[in-house]
């Protein structure tokens, strides 16, 4: 049984360039629909999807929900805090009970790496991973790549610097797999304690020097400092982190003049990015990333439902 036997999306590791391109091309079609006065296309009417969130999330959950609504799907929202998971039900039992109600797909976020992969082996509907532990967050990386493609025209040959807490970041992992498959060159940068663990193979260069990472970069991607992990003593202080790895206009001098600034959100302003960098009208595409999240999630769900991209416009009110 392959990971994609049922058309869901568990991660970008293992996807081919043509599979990623197909999702991005489909997302680009949805992005044009979202720019219309009536930004919806009832192409998944009668199709039902459950958003199964076992970990707190605001923007990703809203983004999936809006994507589903824009396509006319029926939505069931489920979050762990109000569910019988608290009564001790297993993940598999929870999913089986929901599926007994004839749900067509599951969007899932879970704090355990591999949880959606486990579920995909046991249930027979598409599963879309909305973030599993520190493992993958494939729709985030796809929206990142769509944004880069729209702004710079391609991914092939670009120099992309990802800065911050790589070790705990599912966003970084999905980006590294996706971007390198698409032909970009990825450099990871941050304090040694936040770099991937020894033995983890990721197709990226590692440096502890921000100047080295930013030199000649086309894209500068800052990750959130995971404040919740500060107690772990992985770096001495926020002040020291900001001094060494905080991205300011001055430090960006070595990057390409038209380089993009990206961040998956939520931003700790003044920490990973200075205010003027976060709001830079020419370089920062952080809000474009958020907008593109809806188009990408529409594309992923649409393809998960087994629909053909050529049919998108047949249901659209132009
Ligand atoms: C990211 C996540 O949850 O993995 N955020 C998101 O999807 N909006 C990144 C993060 O929380 O640092």
């Amino acid at each position: 049984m392959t990971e994609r036997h049922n058309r869901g999306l568990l991660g970008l590791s293992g996807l081919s360039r043509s599979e990623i391109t197909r999702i991005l091309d489909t997302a680009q079609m949805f992005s044009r629909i979202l720019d219309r006065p009536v930004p919806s296309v009832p192409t998944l009417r009668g199709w039902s999807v459950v958003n199964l969130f076992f970990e707190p999330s605001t923007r990703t959950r809203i983004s999936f929900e809006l994507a589903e609504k824009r396509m006319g799907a029926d939505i069931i929202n489920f979050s762990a805090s109000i569910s019988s998971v608290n009564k001790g039900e297993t993940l598999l039992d929870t999913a089986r009970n929901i599926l007994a109600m004839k749900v067509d797909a599951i969007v899932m976020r879970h704090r355990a790496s591999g949880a959606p992969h486990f579920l995909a082996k046991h249930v027979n509907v598409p599963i879309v991973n909305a973030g599993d532990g520190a493992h993958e967050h494939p729709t985030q990386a796809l929206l990142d790549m769509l944004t880069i493609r729209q702004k710079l025209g391609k991914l092939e040959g670009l120099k992309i610097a990802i800065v911050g807490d790589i070790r705990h970041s599912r966003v970084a992992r999905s980006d590294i797999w996706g971007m390198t498959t698409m032909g970009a060159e990825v450099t990871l940068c941050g304090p040694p304690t936040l770099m991937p663990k020894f033995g983890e193979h990721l197709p990226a260069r590692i440096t502890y020097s921000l100047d080295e990472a930013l030199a000649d970069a086309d894209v500068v991607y800052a990750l959130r400092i995971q404040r919740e992990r500060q107690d772990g003593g992985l770096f001495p202080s926020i002040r020291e982190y900001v001094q060494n790895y905080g991205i300011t206009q001055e430090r960006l001098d070595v990057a390409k003049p038209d380089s993009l600034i990206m961040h998956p959100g939520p931003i700790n302003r003044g920490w990973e990015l200075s205010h003027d960098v976060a709001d830079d009208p020419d370089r920062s595409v952080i809000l474009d990333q958020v907008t593109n999240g809806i188009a990408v999630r529409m594309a992923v769900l649409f393809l998960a439902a087994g629909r053909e991209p050529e049919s998108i416009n047949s249901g659209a009110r132009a």
Side-chain angles (χ1 to χ4, degrees), residues 156-226:
E156 169 114 52
L158 295 186
K159 289 190 168 174
I160 302 179
I162 304 181
V163 181
D165 182 357
I166 314 286
R167 178 171 296 191
H168 300 103
S169 176
R170 52 195 172 206
V171 173
R173 280 182 184 73
S174 288
D175 269 329
I176 294 164
W177 291 117
M179 289 166 176
T180 53
T181 300
M182 298 306 286
E185 223 178 87
V186 176
T187 300
L188 310 176
C189 178
T193 46
L194 298 182
M195 287 293 112
K197 284 207 178 97
F198 181 76
E200 179 179 10
H201 172 71
L202 291 169
R205 187 171 71 110
I206 290 181
T207 172
Y208 307 124
S209 148
L210 186 63
D211 291 333
E212 216 175 287
L214 300 192
D216 226 17
D218 298 283
V219 176
V220 177
Y221 197 108
L223 296 168
R224 183 173 66 88
I225 297 174
Q226 318 241 337

Side-chain angles (χ1 to χ4, degrees), residues 59-60 109 137 140 170-171 224 226 264-265:
R59 82 186 68 200
T60 303
R109 169 167 287 200
H137 191 352
Q140 173 71 46
R170 52 195 172 206
V171 173
R224 183 173 66 88
Q226 318 241 337

